[in-house]
Amino acid sequence: MSQTAKPLQIAIDGPAGAGKSTVARRLADRLDFLYIDTGAMYRASTWLALQKGISLEDGPGIARLASSADIVLKPADETSEGKIRVFADGQEITRAIRTNKMSDQVALVAALKEVREILVERQRELAGRESSVIDGRDIGTVVMPQAGLKIFLTASPEERAHRRLKELEAQGERPDFKDLLAAIKKRDHLDSTRAVSPLAKAFDAVEINTDQMSIDQVVDTLEKLARQAMSDKCLT
Ligand code: DC
């Protein structure tokens, strides 16, 4: 029997800087799927906690805040440099949540069990409604273990630091390569050694190392896998 009406979820996990959000967004555009940037939800919750003066170790406090707040993700546009636009209680925080300082702080909040419970519930609710591309660290393992397609996107720390260097240089900054590499290795360590939902490849995820690939090549590869998954779904 045809199951074309059933939504397809595509989970994309991997370490920071592997290009997940860029390729996830482009893939979602090509397939006309919803794109859910789960990192943006952890970032928005961290921003709210800092605004309200809540300690970044207070799991129940930040979870309460995250569940009562109106966190809205809107598609990227010309104002947002390719990133999705993020709003918390009506205020646009697209830029504020992507500073280097915020990236360090959000890793602490993402390690809090109570916050993850609230956000995972919201992610499942959003992704359950329609076909979606969801990116994060635990999508294939925890949030959507039943996803129709799971991708684990990687790149070496050196390649990721190099990409970040180019990105920052394009914005007029002059960062130090060694500092960027150290920051990436630190985030990898925090993301993959935390007690709750650490970054991990699902056993049935397709691993793609993007070191030698352009963004277009990665998106093309994912689109082929996605179309295959869609036609397999129709045949079952
Ligand atoms: O993908 P990102 O850099 O925007 O993620 C921000 C932080 O949130 C990072 O420390 C990893 C964490 N995160 C997570 O723990 N689980 C997710 N599903 C998404 C992000």
Side-chain angles (χ1 to χ4, degrees):
M1 202 178 81
S2 167
Q3 296 188 358
T4 42
K6 223 173 155 225
L8 173 72
Q9 276 99 22
I10 302 178
I12 304 185
D13 291 303
K20 293 183 305 292
S21 58
T22 307
V23 300
R25 186 173 45 79
R26 292 204 195 170
L27 180 67
D29 280 350
R30 284 198 196 178
L31 300 170
D32 201 20
F33 281 17
L34 175 70
Y35 165 46
I36 306 171
D37 177 347
T38 63
M41 295 183 177
Y42 288 97
R43 287 173 184 270
S45 305
T46 307
W47 184 88
L48 282 164
L50 291 168
Q51 279 296 101
K52 308 262 182 210
I54 297 181
S55 155
L56 298 188
E57 287 169 14
D58 180 0
I62 303 178
R64 265 196 304 278
L65 197 59
S67 65
S68 63
D70 187 24
I71 298 173
V72 177
L73 310 182
K74 291 190 182 172
D77 68 13
E78 61 287 352
T79 66
S80 64
E81 291 161 356
K83 306 282 183 194
I84 59 146
R85 296 178 69 199
V86 184
F87 296 78
D89 290 336
Q91 185 176 345
E92 175 149 24
I93 55 171
T94 308
R95 275 173 180 271
I97 60 168
R98 299 204 181 273
T99 61
N100 282 340
K101 189 166 171 228
M102 182 64 90
S103 296
D104 285 344
Q105 290 167 318
V106 71
L108 304 174
V109 171
L112 303 172
K113 177 169 78 57
E114 298 85 353
V115 178
R116 298 200 74 87
E117 278 167 7
I118 295 291
L119 295 185
V120 165
E121 195 182 301
R122 192 164 295 175
Q123 290 155 18
R124 288 185 182 143
E125 190 187 291
L126 280 173
R129 289 191 208 150
E130 57 186 296
S131 289
S132 345
V133 180
I134 314 131
D135 82 343
R137 305 292 189 286
D138 58 339
I139 310 301
T141 49
V142 175
V143 181
M144 291 269 144
Q146 79 291 9
L149 175 62
K150 299 182 192 175
I151 306 291
F152 197 73
L153 211 63
T154 64
S156 65
E158 289 72 18
E159 173 64 23
R160 288 183 278 140
H162 185 66
R163 289 178 191 168
R164 182 80 183 129
L165 182 81
K166 285 205 292 194
E167 211 175 83
L168 291 171
E169 281 176 351
Q171 292 167 13
E173 291 184 37
R174 295 190 142 271
D176 182 68
F177 179 80
K178 278 200 198 124
D179 290 347
L180 292 177
L181 183 60
I184 280 183
K185 288 186 172 169
K186 185 175 151 205
R187 281 185 75 192
D188 281 358
H189 182 73
L190 283 175
D191 284 350
S192 46
T193 57
R194 67 171 178 232
V196 201
S197 300
L199 166 68
K201 175 181 173 289
F203 76 93
D204 51 352
V206 180
E207 181 160 351
I208 300 178
N209 182 305
T210 65
D211 274 3
Q212 308 295 329
M213 295 170 86
S214 67
I215 290 172
D216 280 340
Q217 285 172 326
V218 180
V219 181
D220 287 347
T221 306
L222 297 193
E223 187 182 357
K224 272 192 204 121
L225 290 168
R227 297 211 180 275
Q228 184 63 51
M230 286 193 268
S231 69
D232 290 350
K233 228 170 148 53
C234 290
L235 294 174
T236 53

